[in-house]
Amino acid sequence: MDGAEAVYIRGRSPLTEYQYTNIRQGRVVWFAWANFGDSADTQDFEIYNHMAASLKFGDQSPISLQDIYGSDFRPNGLNSFSSGSAKSHHLAALLPQRPQIASNWWSPVLNSYGNQWPITCGSAMHRNGSYYAADVGAPENWQVRTANVGQVEFTGWNPSGYGNLVKMGPYGGGVGYRHYYAHLIGITWPATQVGNYIDRDVVIGWVGGTGGVPVHLHFHVQDGQYESISNGVTLVGMYGFRDNPGDPYYPCNDGVSHYNCAWMGR
Amino acid sequence: MNFIQYRQVREEKAYTCSRNLFLVCALLIGVFSIGCATFRGPGPATQVPSASVYSSPQVLGEPMEATLVEGALRVPIRCTAREEGLVSFVNSDDGYCLLYPARFRVGDIRPGIANIYGPPLDQHALQPIATGVSILVLGSAADRTLVQIVDEHVKPYADQSPLTRTTAKLGGELAVVVEGVTDRVGSRQIFVIHNGIVYHLTFYPVDEAYPQAASDVEDLWKIVVASFSFLSFESNR
């Protein structure tokens, strides 16, 4: 933000959902934050994003938080808000370093009161040889979350039918898993900036129907040249087909169209 | 924020008045426009009259009639739907107009972006095969040539082969056509610079994997490229 490294943190406090940014300018740590209730909507996030994007440092340096809290202060110490009953998912979303990609991929959508969203799969648009993708029937404006860590390789309008797309790739580019989140109705920080490192389970946008399709989330993980959500990927929060007990679940394994053949949501 | 205001008037829902009645209507509109319009300068940041979309060949049959529309916006004759089954799309915010097949629809319009989507060609509920064109206004060309802009755009796809380039005309300007880029699907893309602004159209799928879409995408290509025109804004003083 304003040219300084930032750590984006989001989670849920005992009282409400919160979201703030920790900006390090030299040895000074700044915080910008917003409190969102459960009813937070696209506009709330847009306001936050606007605030974050427009932040400018003044001429006067404040007292650093290390001065206040001690030299051992660490940004991740902020991830201590939780309560016994509240669902806690504290995230250092915009990562200052490059963590290893997690072996388990998480469903990019949460469930709704325990109910998963149906996946319609086997679309010919996602089947060319041996690649597949999941079309998740989550409702419009449902949060879309990163399924794994990665670096934003593309964000914005894709002119070949993905609509609003976030494409995540391996750190520094090169060979590795790439994950696609398409047809989004909106994209939010930190996924709005190519190059940002983003942690797993960070909200990057909302389900939509952009690109000329009915409302749904297109999600796939690409390893090499193939779209796949089964190619060596274990996806937590997806339920449906599997060839053998113990195999990871994946929605389509026979190249034939299926409807509501699997479910996603955790 | 400028929102594009447009009306889609389908052939079957077009004017029911006779040609003579239309001429009277057009005359009244013209008089009204001349009386009300203020000067509109060119450029994407300029406030422009609301866009209009018409489709009736009976209505806009004469060139002089076709170029006189709301306010000071001059719509080229090529953008007027003079044949059955065509619809005109006038994007005054982004400064262009075109025709498209009536079975298609306009969607996802926002500043710098407009899309025309074809009907689904299979029964898949959420992700049917469908043809489309995405029209992007990429902003100022700055000091770059059209070739340089195309080079930058296709660089990420350099390992895809074969990428072919040809030249064409779009809106009266020299354009570069690129085929072979496969992103979500294979596409045919056309780049053009007009008044220092880069326009980029992507037609999809142009891809052997989707033969069922070949007819639709070729129809769309021919109609859009033949009709695409840049708008001009003139003073009504």
Side-chain angles (χ1 to χ4, degrees), chain A residues 118-128 131 135-137 157-165 180 183 185 209-216 218 227 257-259, chain B residues 105 107-108 110 113-115 117-118 122-130 132-136 153 157 183-187 189 200 202-205 207 209-210 212:
Chain A
I119 297 172
T120 55
C121 53
S123 163
M125 290 301 288
H126 306 324
R127 190 175 68 244
N128 184 3
Y131 61 77
D135 290 318
V136 185
W157 187 262
N158 172 281
S160 64
Y162 276 138
N164 282 324
L165 168 70
Y180 290 65
H183 308 307
I185 194 170
T210 56
V213 297
V215 170
H216 74 281
H218 167 105
E227 287 184 9
S257 289
H258 298 277
Y259 299 97
Chain B
R105 66 182 174 88
D108 290 327
R110 61 200 70 176
I113 300 175
N115 296 271
Y117 299 122
D122 66 2
Q123 297 302 308
H124 196 273
L126 293 180
Q127 191 61 77
I129 294 173
V133 58
S134 188
I135 306 148
L136 306 184
H153 189 84
Y157 309 97
D183 182 8
R184 172 175 172 255
V185 292
S187 63
Q189 307 184 13
H200 174 211
T202 302
F203 295 78
Y204 61 87
D207 194 322
Y210 307 104
Q212 59 274 63

Side-chain angles (χ1 to χ4, degrees), chain A:
Chain A
M1 301 171 78
D2 197 18
E5 182 182 21
V7 176
Y8 178 92
I9 301 172
R10 182 167 174 275
R12 187 179 291 249
S13 75
L15 295 177
T16 183
E17 193 164 352
Y18 63 89
Q19 179 166 354
Y20 47 64
T21 305
N22 155 8
I23 312 114
R24 278 173 281 184
Q25 186 193 33
R27 58 189 294 273
V28 180
V29 180
W30 297 65
F31 292 90
W33 69 91
N35 291 318
F36 297 150
D38 289 335
S39 61
D41 58 16
T42 303
Q43 188 177 18
D44 293 320
F45 285 95
E46 286 178 348
I47 291 170
Y48 177 86
N49 292 337
H50 178 76
M51 177 187 72
S54 60
L55 183 144
K56 296 293 178 188
F57 293 113
D59 295 327
Q60 296 183 354
S61 295
I63 298 171
S64 81
L65 289 178
Q66 280 89 350
D67 290 338
I68 298 172
Y69 294 111
S71 58
D72 59 346
F73 172 81
R74 295 288 183 273
N76 284 344
L78 292 168
N79 295 344
S80 60
F81 291 102
S82 65
S83 70
S85 58
K87 188 174 183 178
S88 179
H89 46 275
H90 305 114
L91 303 166
L94 183 54
L95 299 168
Q97 66 278 338
R98 301 179 177 186
Q100 295 294 313
I101 197 163
S103 58
N104 281 341
W105 293 66
W106 289 6
S107 160
V109 290
L110 300 181
N111 66 40
S112 175
Y113 300 103
N115 296 315
Q116 286 80 36
W117 305 109
I119 297 172
T120 55
C121 53
S123 163
M125 290 301 288
H126 306 324
R127 190 175 68 244
N128 184 3
S130 59
Y131 61 77
Y132 309 99
D135 290 318
V136 185
E140 191 166 59
N141 290 318
W142 197 253
Q143 290 179 342
V144 175
R145 295 159 178 268
T146 44
N148 211 323
V149 299
Q151 185 172 21
V152 180
E153 286 192 345
F154 178 86
T155 180
W157 187 262
N158 172 281
S160 64
Y162 276 138
N164 282 324
L165 168 70
V166 174
K167 177 185 174 186
M168 305 281 293
Y171 297 121
V175 176
Y177 287 112
R178 287 179 165 78
H179 24 139
Y180 290 65
Y181 310 83
H183 308 307
L184 305 179
I185 194 170
I187 299 171
T188 189
W189 178 268
T192 51
Q193 177 66 52
V194 169
N196 278 350
Y197 303 136
I198 304 182
D199 204 351
R200 184 174 58 184
D201 198 31
V202 174
V203 175
I204 54 173
W206 298 271
V207 172
T210 56
V213 297
V215 170
H216 74 281
L217 170 67
H218 167 105
F219 169 66
H220 77 263
V221 180
Q222 180 174 311
D223 180 15
Q225 63 178 315
Y226 297 119
E227 287 184 9
S228 176
I229 53 174
S230 61
N231 187 12
V233 169
T234 301
L235 191 65
V236 175
M238 190 162 78
Y239 310 90
F241 292 141
R242 56 181 176 179
D243 287 337
N244 301 295
D247 283 353
Y249 289 108
Y250 49 93
C252 303
N253 62 350
D254 56 4
V256 177
S257 289
H258 298 277
Y259 299 97
N260 298 344
C261 60
W263 296 266
M264 189 176 283
R266 55 185 163 79

Side-chain angles (χ1 to χ4, degrees), chain B residues 29-45:
Chain B
I29 292 170
V31 169
F32 177 80
S33 301
I34 292 169
C36 298
T38 55
F39 175 75
R40 312 284 186 183

Side-chain angles (χ1 to χ4, degrees), chain B:
Chain B
M1 178 180 294
N2 285 328
F3 286 98
I4 299 171
Q5 302 168 1
Y6 67 95
R7 291 180 290 129
Q8 265 186 288
V9 183
R10 298 282 179 180
E11 296 288 348
E12 63 276 14
K13 295 181 181 176
Y15 294 91
T16 54
C17 61
S18 67
R19 179 183 180 84
N20 288 338
L21 180 57
F22 166 74
L23 292 175
V24 173
C25 295
L27 179 62
L28 290 174
I29 292 170
V31 169
F32 177 80
S33 301
I34 292 169
C36 298
T38 55
F39 175 75
R40 312 284 186 183
T46 304
Q47 291 291 323
V48 295
S50 300
S52 299
V53 177
Y54 354 78
S55 64
S56 173
Q58 295 84 8
V59 172
L60 297 173
E62 301 298 327
M64 288 309 294
E65 295 168 1
T67 57
L68 181 61
V69 290
E70 295 177 31
L73 178 63
R74 182 174 287 274
V75 177
I77 185 66
R78 283 195 301 181
C79 288
T80 59
R82 297 160 61 87
E83 296 176 21
E84 198 75 21
L86 297 181
V87 180
S88 175
F89 173 55
V90 181
N91 188 338
S92 60
D93 279 7
D94 286 340
Y96 64 83
C97 63
L98 53 82
L99 297 177
Y100 63 93
R103 64 184 185 280
F104 285 59
R105 66 182 174 88
V106 173
D108 290 327
I109 303 176
R110 61 200 70 176
I113 300 175
N115 296 271
I116 298 170
Y117 299 122
L121 299 173
D122 66 2
Q123 297 302 308
H124 196 273
L126 293 180
Q127 191 61 77
I129 294 173
T131 295
V133 58
S134 188
I135 306 148
L136 306 184
V137 181
L138 300 182
S140 171
D143 295 328
R144 298 171 299 170
T145 65
L146 185 58
V147 171
Q148 288 172 326
I149 289 165
V150 174
D151 287 344
E152 291 172 13
H153 189 84
V154 303
K155 188 177 180 181
Y157 309 97
D159 58 344
Q160 296 179 0
S161 62
L163 293 182
T164 63
R165 290 193 202 191
T166 54
T167 56
K169 286 275 189 177
L170 185 69
E173 304 275 12
L174 183 65
V176 172
V177 179
V178 178
E179 288 200 51
V181 170
T182 299
D183 182 8
R184 172 175 172 255
V185 292
S187 63
R188 181 184 299 148
Q189 307 184 13
I190 184 165
F191 299 78
V192 68
I193 298 175
H194 178 73
N195 284 346
I197 303 296
V198 183
Y199 293 77
H200 174 211
L201 284 67
T202 302
F203 295 78
Y204 61 87
V206 179
D207 194 322
E208 291 178 353
Y210 307 104
Q212 59 274 63
S215 174
D216 265 4
V217 76
E218 289 305 323
D219 277 356
L220 187 63
W221 166 264
K222 288 175 185 171
I223 293 167
V224 169
V225 170
S227 61
F228 189 96
S229 305
F230 294 104
L231 300 178
S232 61
F233 302 91
E234 294 187 355
S235 169
N236 270 348
R237 288 174 297 177

